[in-house]
Amino acid sequence: MTNSVPTLTLNDGHTIPQLGFGVFKVEPTETTRIVTDALEVGYRHIDTAAVYGNEEGVGQALASSGIDRSELFVTTKLWNDKQGTQSALDAFDESLEKLGLDYVDLYLIHWPAPANDKFVESWKTLAEIRKSGRARSIGVSNFLVPHLERLLTETDVVPAVNQIELHPAYQQAEVTAFAREHGIHIEAWGPLGQGKYPLLEEGVVTAAAEAHGKTPAQVIIRWHLQTGNIVFPKSNRRERMAENFDVFDFELSHTEFATISALERGGRVSAHPNEVN
Ligand code: NAD
């Protein structure tokens, strides 16, 4: 099943598996077991963050899996209170150590935290880290257009990705159009609505699921893949991990895709990026 995950080419030439596994809210004590399950199911792309507190568990699962490093894609993120130059370098070292890796595939600024006004400085630091080879690619998360504009005008490095809250009921048209225009791939977090928005019960979703003999979650993941989003749904349950990975044997029709896209309601379920500092 592993080989069936498509890869996308980032603006720095590196490739990323379009479907991965996220570990937000995975308890540190359970992380090794859960990530081991995910790797056994076939996931090769893991999305974590320093603030999730579970990088060590991720690292242990990777190390004991026996999977060649070159087959894995690992993302982690710089937390807000570590933004800056030396603090970001130190935080990156700590993440690498906890993960037990000598490089990560992708390192992200977790939130712009604009009240601190350190995201441009942090971005320059990430560019240095990338130059050193210890992060193959670098990107940002939860950046809105004005934040991205500052990176583009004040530095000469374009983020490879912007990881943002995105699902059919909240598609972030403005930031996704800006990203597309500048060659920045979109990673959709909360792809299933985090259970806070009843996406899986929407009639157009359940109808498409029935038509294809798939589940509503598989339909939503398929919508993301067909949109071009990079996506890493999270579940602690192995059967759901397998369900979320089994999305490459069907395709939403043009009509199904359009009716699901019409679920847009324009409301985020999580915090506004300007308010997380
Ligand atoms: P998600 O939309 O993936 O929702 C996860 C929840 O959906 C699970 O807890 C589970 O209850 C439910 N679920 C999963 N599979 C299901 C299935 N097949 N059927 C029914 N319900 C199912 O939300 P998320 O975990 O917040 O987002 C995914 C990943 O995105 C995270 O794990 C993390 O890696 C990343 N993320 C990043 C940020 C950020 O600020 N950059 C914020 C949140 C999440």
Side-chain angles (χ1 to χ4, degrees), residues 203-205 207-208 211-212 219 223 226 251-263:
V204 291
V205 175
H212 292 280
V219 164
W223 177 88
Q226 290 182 215
E251 200 162 328
L252 299 174
S253 70
H254 183 75
T255 309
E256 287 166 336
F257 184 84
T259 53
I260 295 169
S261 300
L263 290 173

PDB file of all heavy atoms in Angstrom, residues 203-205 207-208 211-212 219 223 226 251-263:
ATOM      1  N   GLY A 203     -24.819  15.514   4.094  1.00  0.00           N
ATOM      2  CA  GLY A 203     -25.491  14.637   3.122  1.00  0.00           C
ATOM      3  C   GLY A 203     -24.673  14.387   1.866  1.00  0.00           C
ATOM      4  O   GLY A 203     -24.611  13.244   1.375  1.00  0.00           O
ATOM      5  N   VAL A 204     -24.018  15.415   1.341  1.00  0.00           N
ATOM      6  CA  VAL A 204     -23.260  15.211   0.093  1.00  0.00           C
ATOM      7  C   VAL A 204     -22.053  14.304   0.334  1.00  0.00           C
ATOM      8  O   VAL A 204     -21.598  13.598  -0.569  1.00  0.00           O
ATOM      9  CB  VAL A 204     -22.809  16.566  -0.533  1.00  0.00           C
ATOM     10  CG1 VAL A 204     -24.016  17.323  -1.056  1.00  0.00           C
ATOM     11  CG2 VAL A 204     -22.012  17.415   0.442  1.00  0.00           C
ATOM     12  N   VAL A 205     -21.562  14.318   1.559  1.00  0.00           N
ATOM     13  CA  VAL A 205     -20.414  13.467   1.890  1.00  0.00           C
ATOM     14  C   VAL A 205     -20.878  12.017   2.060  1.00  0.00           C
ATOM     15  O   VAL A 205     -20.284  11.084   1.495  1.00  0.00           O
ATOM     16  CB  VAL A 205     -19.713  13.979   3.176  1.00  0.00           C
ATOM     17  CG1 VAL A 205     -18.593  13.042   3.607  1.00  0.00           C
ATOM     18  CG2 VAL A 205     -19.180  15.397   2.964  1.00  0.00           C
ATOM     19  N   ALA A 207     -23.516  10.695   0.842  1.00  0.00           N
ATOM     20  CA  ALA A 207     -24.003  10.169  -0.457  1.00  0.00           C
ATOM     21  C   ALA A 207     -22.826   9.703  -1.311  1.00  0.00           C
ATOM     22  O   ALA A 207     -22.869   8.619  -1.913  1.00  0.00           O
ATOM     23  CB  ALA A 207     -24.797  11.257  -1.194  1.00  0.00           C
ATOM     24  N   ALA A 208     -21.759  10.493  -1.335  1.00  0.00           N
ATOM     25  CA  ALA A 208     -20.581  10.087  -2.118  1.00  0.00           C
ATOM     26  C   ALA A 208     -19.963   8.825  -1.520  1.00  0.00           C
ATOM     27  O   ALA A 208     -19.518   7.930  -2.246  1.00  0.00           O
ATOM     28  CB  ALA A 208     -19.550  11.224  -2.145  1.00  0.00           C
ATOM     29  N   ALA A 211     -22.014   5.923  -2.606  1.00  0.00           N
ATOM     30  CA  ALA A 211     -21.848   5.650  -4.040  1.00  0.00           C
ATOM     31  C   ALA A 211     -20.555   4.887  -4.326  1.00  0.00           C
ATOM     32  O   ALA A 211     -20.487   4.095  -5.261  1.00  0.00           O
ATOM     33  CB  ALA A 211     -21.872   6.964  -4.822  1.00  0.00           C
ATOM     34  N   HIS A 212     -19.519   5.131  -3.527  1.00  0.00           N
ATOM     35  CA  HIS A 212     -18.219   4.496  -3.803  1.00  0.00           C
ATOM     36  C   HIS A 212     -17.930   3.320  -2.870  1.00  0.00           C
ATOM     37  O   HIS A 212     -16.852   2.720  -2.971  1.00  0.00           O
ATOM     38  CB  HIS A 212     -17.096   5.528  -3.652  1.00  0.00           C
ATOM     39  CG  HIS A 212     -17.127   6.580  -4.719  1.00  0.00           C
ATOM     40  ND1 HIS A 212     -16.621   6.377  -5.987  1.00  0.00           N
ATOM     41  CD2 HIS A 212     -17.623   7.839  -4.723  1.00  0.00           C
ATOM     42  CE1 HIS A 212     -16.792   7.471  -6.715  1.00  0.00           C
ATOM     43  NE2 HIS A 212     -17.402   8.370  -5.973  1.00  0.00           N
ATOM     44  N   VAL A 219     -13.987   9.870   1.971  1.00  0.00           N
ATOM     45  CA  VAL A 219     -14.436  10.834   0.955  1.00  0.00           C
ATOM     46  C   VAL A 219     -13.781  12.196   1.193  1.00  0.00           C
ATOM     47  O   VAL A 219     -13.303  12.845   0.265  1.00  0.00           O
ATOM     48  CB  VAL A 219     -15.982  10.937   0.968  1.00  0.00           C
ATOM     49  CG1 VAL A 219     -16.474  12.181   0.232  1.00  0.00           C
ATOM     50  CG2 VAL A 219     -16.577   9.671   0.363  1.00  0.00           C
ATOM     51  N   TRP A 223     -11.195  14.216  -1.141  1.00  0.00           N
ATOM     52  CA  TRP A 223     -11.432  15.607  -1.575  1.00  0.00           C
ATOM     53  C   TRP A 223     -10.138  16.418  -1.418  1.00  0.00           C
ATOM     54  O   TRP A 223      -9.761  17.169  -2.312  1.00  0.00           O
ATOM     55  CB  TRP A 223     -12.568  16.224  -0.754  1.00  0.00           C
ATOM     56  CG  TRP A 223     -12.835  17.663  -1.081  1.00  0.00           C
ATOM     57  CD1 TRP A 223     -13.675  18.150  -2.055  1.00  0.00           C
ATOM     58  CD2 TRP A 223     -12.242  18.813  -0.452  1.00  0.00           C
ATOM     59  NE1 TRP A 223     -13.632  19.525  -2.058  1.00  0.00           N
ATOM     60  CE2 TRP A 223     -12.765  19.973  -1.094  1.00  0.00           C
ATOM     61  CE3 TRP A 223     -11.330  18.984   0.586  1.00  0.00           C
ATOM     62  CZ2 TRP A 223     -12.407  21.263  -0.731  1.00  0.00           C
ATOM     63  CZ3 TRP A 223     -10.958  20.275   0.944  1.00  0.00           C
ATOM     64  CH2 TRP A 223     -11.498  21.393   0.293  1.00  0.00           C
ATOM     65  N   GLN A 226      -7.606  15.313  -4.106  1.00  0.00           N
ATOM     66  CA  GLN A 226      -7.965  15.812  -5.442  1.00  0.00           C
ATOM     67  C   GLN A 226      -7.832  17.344  -5.524  1.00  0.00           C
ATOM     68  O   GLN A 226      -7.646  17.895  -6.595  1.00  0.00           O
ATOM     69  CB  GLN A 226      -9.364  15.341  -5.848  1.00  0.00           C
ATOM     70  CG  GLN A 226      -9.380  13.839  -6.120  1.00  0.00           C
ATOM     71  CD  GLN A 226     -10.712  13.261  -6.569  1.00  0.00           C
ATOM     72  OE1 GLN A 226     -11.022  12.124  -6.191  1.00  0.00           O
ATOM     73  NE2 GLN A 226     -11.499  13.976  -7.356  1.00  0.00           N
ATOM     74  N   GLU A 251     -12.170   7.620  -7.005  1.00  0.00           N
ATOM     75  CA  GLU A 251     -12.010   9.041  -7.315  1.00  0.00           C
ATOM     76  C   GLU A 251     -13.372   9.706  -7.245  1.00  0.00           C
ATOM     77  O   GLU A 251     -14.360   9.135  -7.736  1.00  0.00           O
ATOM     78  CB  GLU A 251     -11.440   9.164  -8.731  1.00  0.00           C
ATOM     79  CG  GLU A 251     -10.801  10.487  -8.968  1.00  0.00           C
ATOM     80  CD  GLU A 251      -9.854  10.452 -10.180  1.00  0.00           C
ATOM     81  OE1 GLU A 251      -9.246   9.386 -10.433  1.00  0.00           O
ATOM     82  OE2 GLU A 251      -9.778  11.477 -10.858  1.00  0.00           O
ATOM     83  N   LEU A 252     -13.439  10.873  -6.644  1.00  0.00           N
ATOM     84  CA  LEU A 252     -14.701  11.624  -6.631  1.00  0.00           C
ATOM     85  C   LEU A 252     -14.954  12.159  -8.034  1.00  0.00           C
ATOM     86  O   LEU A 252     -14.015  12.643  -8.691  1.00  0.00           O
ATOM     87  CB  LEU A 252     -14.614  12.793  -5.649  1.00  0.00           C
ATOM     88  CG  LEU A 252     -14.367  12.423  -4.183  1.00  0.00           C
ATOM     89  CD1 LEU A 252     -14.152  13.692  -3.355  1.00  0.00           C
ATOM     90  CD2 LEU A 252     -15.529  11.605  -3.636  1.00  0.00           C
ATOM     91  N   SER A 253     -16.212  12.085  -8.451  1.00  0.00           N
ATOM     92  CA  SER A 253     -16.542  12.640  -9.769  1.00  0.00           C
ATOM     93  C   SER A 253     -16.472  14.166  -9.691  1.00  0.00           C
ATOM     94  O   SER A 253     -16.445  14.757  -8.596  1.00  0.00           O
ATOM     95  CB  SER A 253     -17.957  12.205 -10.171  1.00  0.00           C
ATOM     96  OG  SER A 253     -18.888  12.877  -9.324  1.00  0.00           O
ATOM     97  N   HIS A 254     -16.507  14.768 -10.844  1.00  0.00           N
ATOM     98  CA  HIS A 254     -16.480  16.228 -10.905  1.00  0.00           C
ATOM     99  C   HIS A 254     -17.646  16.812 -10.088  1.00  0.00           C
ATOM    100  O   HIS A 254     -17.473  17.767  -9.322  1.00  0.00           O
ATOM    101  CB  HIS A 254     -16.567  16.664 -12.378  1.00  0.00           C
ATOM    102  CG  HIS A 254     -16.474  18.137 -12.546  1.00  0.00           C
ATOM    103  ND1 HIS A 254     -15.280  18.827 -12.417  1.00  0.00           N
ATOM    104  CD2 HIS A 254     -17.417  19.075 -12.789  1.00  0.00           C
ATOM    105  CE1 HIS A 254     -15.509  20.107 -12.579  1.00  0.00           C
ATOM    106  NE2 HIS A 254     -16.791  20.290 -12.804  1.00  0.00           N
ATOM    107  N   THR A 255     -18.824  16.193 -10.215  1.00  0.00           N
ATOM    108  CA  THR A 255     -20.009  16.689  -9.496  1.00  0.00           C
ATOM    109  C   THR A 255     -19.855  16.496  -7.991  1.00  0.00           C
ATOM    110  O   THR A 255     -20.169  17.395  -7.199  1.00  0.00           O
ATOM    111  CB  THR A 255     -21.281  15.965  -9.991  1.00  0.00           C
ATOM    112  OG1 THR A 255     -21.295  16.050 -11.406  1.00  0.00           O
ATOM    113  CG2 THR A 255     -22.541  16.553  -9.409  1.00  0.00           C
ATOM    114  N   GLU A 256     -19.385  15.316  -7.599  1.00  0.00           N
ATOM    115  CA  GLU A 256     -19.206  15.069  -6.153  1.00  0.00           C
ATOM    116  C   GLU A 256     -18.201  16.066  -5.572  1.00  0.00           C
ATOM    117  O   GLU A 256     -18.419  16.643  -4.502  1.00  0.00           O
ATOM    118  CB  GLU A 256     -18.695  13.639  -5.927  1.00  0.00           C
ATOM    119  CG  GLU A 256     -19.750  12.579  -6.163  1.00  0.00           C
ATOM    120  CD  GLU A 256     -19.159  11.178  -6.282  1.00  0.00           C
ATOM    121  OE1 GLU A 256     -17.965  11.037  -6.630  1.00  0.00           O
ATOM    122  OE2 GLU A 256     -19.907  10.216  -6.057  1.00  0.00           O
ATOM    123  N   PHE A 257     -17.116  16.256  -6.310  1.00  0.00           N
ATOM    124  CA  PHE A 257     -16.085  17.183  -5.840  1.00  0.00           C
ATOM    125  C   PHE A 257     -16.682  18.586  -5.675  1.00  0.00           C
ATOM    126  O   PHE A 257     -16.466  19.264  -4.663  1.00  0.00           O
ATOM    127  CB  PHE A 257     -14.914  17.199  -6.835  1.00  0.00           C
ATOM    128  CG  PHE A 257     -13.766  18.046  -6.383  1.00  0.00           C
ATOM    129  CD1 PHE A 257     -12.801  17.546  -5.523  1.00  0.00           C
ATOM    130  CD2 PHE A 257     -13.650  19.366  -6.804  1.00  0.00           C
ATOM    131  CE1 PHE A 257     -11.751  18.335  -5.080  1.00  0.00           C
ATOM    132  CE2 PHE A 257     -12.599  20.166  -6.361  1.00  0.00           C
ATOM    133  CZ  PHE A 257     -11.647  19.648  -5.505  1.00  0.00           C
ATOM    134  N   ALA A 258     -17.474  18.992  -6.657  1.00  0.00           N
ATOM    135  CA  ALA A 258     -18.058  20.346  -6.629  1.00  0.00           C
ATOM    136  C   ALA A 258     -19.072  20.484  -5.490  1.00  0.00           C
ATOM    137  O   ALA A 258     -19.108  21.525  -4.808  1.00  0.00           O
ATOM    138  CB  ALA A 258     -18.713  20.657  -7.972  1.00  0.00           C
ATOM    139  N   THR A 259     -19.881  19.454  -5.246  1.00  0.00           N
ATOM    140  CA  THR A 259     -20.887  19.584  -4.180  1.00  0.00           C
ATOM    141  C   THR A 259     -20.213  19.594  -2.801  1.00  0.00           C
ATOM    142  O   THR A 259     -20.654  20.295  -1.886  1.00  0.00           O
ATOM    143  CB  THR A 259     -21.956  18.463  -4.225  1.00  0.00           C
ATOM    144  OG1 THR A 259     -21.297  17.205  -4.230  1.00  0.00           O
ATOM    145  CG2 THR A 259     -22.867  18.583  -5.426  1.00  0.00           C
ATOM    146  N   ILE A 260     -19.131  18.858  -2.673  1.00  0.00           N
ATOM    147  CA  ILE A 260     -18.409  18.881  -1.387  1.00  0.00           C
ATOM    148  C   ILE A 260     -17.716  20.238  -1.223  1.00  0.00           C
ATOM    149  O   ILE A 260     -17.727  20.834  -0.142  1.00  0.00           O
ATOM    150  CB  ILE A 260     -17.428  17.688  -1.286  1.00  0.00           C
ATOM    151  CG1 ILE A 260     -18.224  16.380  -1.252  1.00  0.00           C
ATOM    152  CG2 ILE A 260     -16.544  17.811  -0.041  1.00  0.00           C
ATOM    153  CD1 ILE A 260     -17.406  15.130  -1.426  1.00  0.00           C
ATOM    154  N   SER A 261     -17.181  20.762  -2.309  1.00  0.00           N
ATOM    155  CA  SER A 261     -16.535  22.089  -2.239  1.00  0.00           C
ATOM    156  C   SER A 261     -17.551  23.163  -1.862  1.00  0.00           C
ATOM    157  O   SER A 261     -17.198  24.173  -1.236  1.00  0.00           O
ATOM    158  CB  SER A 261     -15.884  22.448  -3.579  1.00  0.00           C
ATOM    159  OG  SER A 261     -14.906  21.492  -3.917  1.00  0.00           O
ATOM    160  N   ALA A 262     -18.812  22.926  -2.214  1.00  0.00           N
ATOM    161  CA  ALA A 262     -19.856  23.918  -1.908  1.00  0.00           C
ATOM    162  C   ALA A 262     -20.242  23.922  -0.425  1.00  0.00           C
ATOM    163  O   ALA A 262     -21.079  24.716   0.011  1.00  0.00           O
ATOM    164  CB  ALA A 262     -21.085  23.659  -2.777  1.00  0.00           C
ATOM    165  N   LEU A 263     -19.607  23.050   0.383  1.00  0.00           N
ATOM    166  CA  LEU A 263     -19.874  23.052   1.831  1.00  0.00           C
ATOM    167  C   LEU A 263     -19.214  24.241   2.533  1.00  0.00           C
ATOM    168  O   LEU A 263     -19.420  24.450   3.735  1.00  0.00           O
ATOM    169  CB  LEU A 263     -19.352  21.758   2.479  1.00  0.00           C
ATOM    170  CG  LEU A 263     -20.114  20.475   2.136  1.00  0.00           C
ATOM    171  CD1 LEU A 263     -19.377  19.263   2.712  1.00  0.00           C
ATOM    172  CD2 LEU A 263     -21.543  20.542   2.674  1.00  0.00           C
TER     173      LEU A 263
END
